[in-house]
Every structure is written in structure tokens, then in C-alpha cells.
Amino acid sequence: MDLNRDPHRSIRDAAENIREYNHRTINGPEVFYGEHQLINHAPPAIGEAVGALYVLFERLPQAVDQTAAAVRHVEEQHAIRMANGAETDEAVSRLLRALIDARQSMLLAQTHLRSAVQVSSNMAGHWVDDELEDADANA
């Protein structure tokens, strides 16, 4: 964790990691099969992905809150001007309302993801004797 870089950089890096995940999984679920390309490895790997999505959404509301606090702080210091000439107070109010609405949506997403985690954390692949024999023969 690099606590010395610009705060927006951390969020951009997180977004880039999600983009990487999207690219890795876009062509199908085979990416979850693991290094030996066994479908039985996919269910717990998918469960791990669901759990990671939950953790992401668990942390996002705090990031939104702290960003909103920064907006309020710079507004109180009269340090904001609008490049498009819009009224600053009105623009800041709209911005803060949008952040509050986004936070509420994230909390709702958390609720749904928590339900998904409860199910996916119990997913496992079938144990297939042939698969184990093939793995032993290849070892």
C-alpha cells in the first residue's frame, strides 16, 4: 500500500484491476478452471470472485464518504470555481446529492452481494475419480 501517492491514483488503479478482471473473464468461464484446466476448480474460484466483489462494495461507501468530505471542505474554504460558469453552490449540492445516491446504491449492492456470498461460499466442484487418476498419471 502506497500512502504517498495522489488519492485519485488508488481509485484509478482499482478500476484498472476491475478492467483486467473483465478482460480475463470476457471469453468465458474457462479462466476459472485453474492451472490444470479442470472444470471442478471453477465453482470455488467463482465463489472467491463473488467474495472479492463483496469486499470491493464493502469498501466503496467509505471512499465515497471521504470524497464527499473533501468536497465539503474545499467548498467551505471557497476554493471551488466552476469552469463552465455554473453557480458553485448549486453544482456542489448536485455533486454531493449524486455521491449520496451512489453510496445508497452501493449499500444495496452490498446487500445483494452478501446474499450471493452466502451461497457461493459453499460451492465446490465434484470429485471425479477419473480426474484424480489422470492427475496422478501426469504427475
Side-chain angles (χ1 to χ4, degrees):
M1 183 180 325
D2 182 358
L3 297 177
N4 294 316
R5 64 183 167 164
D6 290 333
H8 70 286
R9 191 75 245 152
S10 298
I11 294 172
R12 292 215 180 270
D13 288 351
E16 188 61 27
N17 286 333
I18 295 299
R19 182 173 181 246
E20 176 186 327
Y21 174 87
N22 290 343
H23 278 275
R24 295 238 16 241
T25 59
I26 197 167
N27 291 323
E30 291 80 9
V31 70
F32 293 103
Y33 289 9
E35 68 178 291
H36 299 293
Q37 288 297 295
L38 302 173
I39 194 169
N40 293 345
H41 292 185
I46 293 167
E48 286 288 327
V50 172
L53 284 169
Y54 174 74
V55 170
L56 174 66
F57 273 83
E58 189 176 53
R59 293 179 179 161
L60 285 173
Q62 181 180 357
V64 170
D65 288 346
Q66 290 172 198
T67 303
V71 170
R72 284 190 293 277
H73 172 77
V74 296
E75 178 192 31
E76 290 167 0
Q77 302 304 312
H78 304 286
I80 299 174
R81 73 171 178 82
M82 299 302 294
N84 64 1
E87 178 62 40
T88 302
D89 292 343
E90 182 182 321
V92 168
S93 289
R94 283 194 351 254
L95 170 58
L96 292 173
R97 170 64 8 210
L99 289 172
I100 289 168
D101 291 346
R103 185 183 193 284
Q104 291 301 92
S105 295
M106 290 170 193
L107 292 174
L108 180 60
Q110 267 184 45
T111 300
H112 294 296
L113 286 167
R114 187 178 305 114
S115 294
V117 165
Q118 290 170 344
V119 175
S120 67
S121 65
N122 288 299
M123 290 187 342
H126 293 285
W127 293 110
V128 179
D129 292 336
D130 293 343
E131 196 173 279
L132 295 175
E133 288 172 12
D134 289 344
D136 288 339
N138 293 329

